[in-house]
Amino acid sequence: AQTVTQSQPEMSVQEAETVTLSCTYDTSENNYYLFWYKQPPSRQMILVIRQEAYKQQNATENRFSVNFQKAAKSFSLKISDSQLGDTAMYFCAFMEWEGSQGNLIFGKGTKLSVKP
Amino acid sequence: DSGVTQTPKHLITATGQRVTLRCSPRSGDLSVYWYQQSLDQGLQFLIQYYNGEERAKGNILERFSAQQFPDLHSELNLSSLELGDSALYFCASSVPTSGGATDTQYFGPGTRLTVL
């Protein structure tokens, strides 16, 4: 069974600085998706970024980028120029590429605080 | 706004009771997923429907059931409620791909269930 591990329960960063959140996963599949979701205090789950395992290029979305290391099964999220609005829980998630089951498997989350 | 709607936003009920949570997916999405978020269990997949048919089951209790209607909205029924069922229940939907629903999931705002 696939598992997702986020080893940093809490992190903090100063506004405008850069922070990296870690995620590792375990799977025997070769093709899959990886995601980062953000959950601010409003509790809404917001997609931050997505990576297809077959793509060697790391995904980027504005200030958010990932470092995807397939062999190491590592998928870290880098937030540049951190803003107060980035304060949230961040969840790493795994999903199989093929098959009819498309459910997400989540890590336990990292609580990020951006300090002014 | 993800385009996924969930009602009600909050629900307070007593042990032993039955409740129904409702979800409307984004326009065009055929797949609906239900997740439970609790403090001790984290985010857990419950069940997936694809175009009206059950597609996958996760850690869903026998007291819980779901269905997806012809208009693609879905309902999650929770019965014989226990204190431990208090949680945030999310619905997510995704764009269909050929043969399944392995694509990005967009989450609704959630229903917060409190069992007293």
Side-chain angles (χ1 to χ4, degrees):
Chain A
Q2 292 89 354
T3 59
V4 177
T5 302
Q6 294 180 250
S7 58
Q8 305 150 315
E10 289 193 43
M11 295 189 73
S12 65
V13 63
Q14 291 296 128
E15 200 175 3
E17 293 190 346
T18 295
V19 64
T20 299
L21 309 184
S22 302
C23 172
T24 58
Y25 59 94
D26 188 24
T27 183
S28 58
E29 303 294 326
N30 189 47
N31 292 319
Y32 46 87
Y33 291 96
L34 293 164
F35 302 86
W36 281 97
Y37 282 88
K38 165 185 175 180
Q39 188 177 40
S42 67
R43 307 293 273 175
Q44 172 80 51
M45 291 289 288
I46 301 166
L47 176 69
V48 175
I49 201 165
R50 135 188 169 156
Q51 175 82 41
E52 290 90 339
Y54 72 88
K55 290 185 177 179
Q56 292 187 346
Q57 187 172 8
N58 289 323
T60 62
E61 285 289 342
N62 301 313
R63 299 182 295 107
F64 299 87
S65 61
V66 298
N67 183 5
F68 173 48
Q69 302 288 330
K70 191 173 183 179
K73 296 180 182 175
S74 169
F75 183 61
S76 61
L77 174 70
K78 185 172 85 170
I79 306 174
S80 304
D81 186 25
S82 296
Q83 300 176 0
L84 296 178
D86 296 333
T87 293
M89 282 289 288
Y90 286 82
F91 292 95
C92 178
F94 171 97
M95 185 168 72
E96 287 184 10
W97 176 269
E98 294 176 354
S100 59
Q101 292 192 22
N103 58 284
L104 292 163
I105 299 167
F106 287 93
K108 293 200 176 296
T110 296
K111 183 176 181 180
L112 177 67
S113 299
V114 180
K115 300 186 184 304
Chain B
D1 186 354
S2 67
V4 179
T5 61
Q6 288 187 250
T7 56
K9 203 169 183 177
H10 301 281
L11 201 48
I12 301 174
T13 188
T15 55
Q17 295 297 305
R18 172 189 168 95
V19 296
T20 297
L21 313 184
R22 182 188 170 105
C23 167
S24 292
R26 298 184 318 159
S27 177
D29 287 1
L30 298 182
S31 264
V32 168
Y33 307 79
W34 286 97
Y35 293 87
Q36 179 194 59
Q37 185 177 31
S38 61
L39 280 174
D40 52 345
Q41 298 291 329
L43 268 158
Q44 288 202 312
F45 166 68
L46 295 178
I47 197 164
Q48 174 198 355
Y49 277 82
Y50 178 77
N51 202 19
E53 293 187 3
E54 181 183 303
R55 186 60 64 94
K57 259 185 173 178
N59 298 320
I60 188 166
L61 299 171
E62 284 192 10
R63 300 183 284 108
F64 296 1
S65 65
Q67 53 184 326
Q68 187 179 26
F69 295 86
D71 67 352
L72 300 177
H73 90 271
S74 177
E75 292 181 357
L76 179 67
N77 300 297
L78 315 176
S79 61
S80 302
L81 284 167
E82 302 174 359
L83 296 177
D85 297 327
S86 294
L88 189 54
Y89 291 84
F90 284 108
C91 167
S93 72
S94 68
V95 176
T97 61
S98 58
T102 51
D103 210 321
T104 301
Q105 294 177 28
Y106 294 91
F107 282 73
T111 292
R112 178 168 293 286
L113 174 66
T114 302
V115 182
L116 301 175

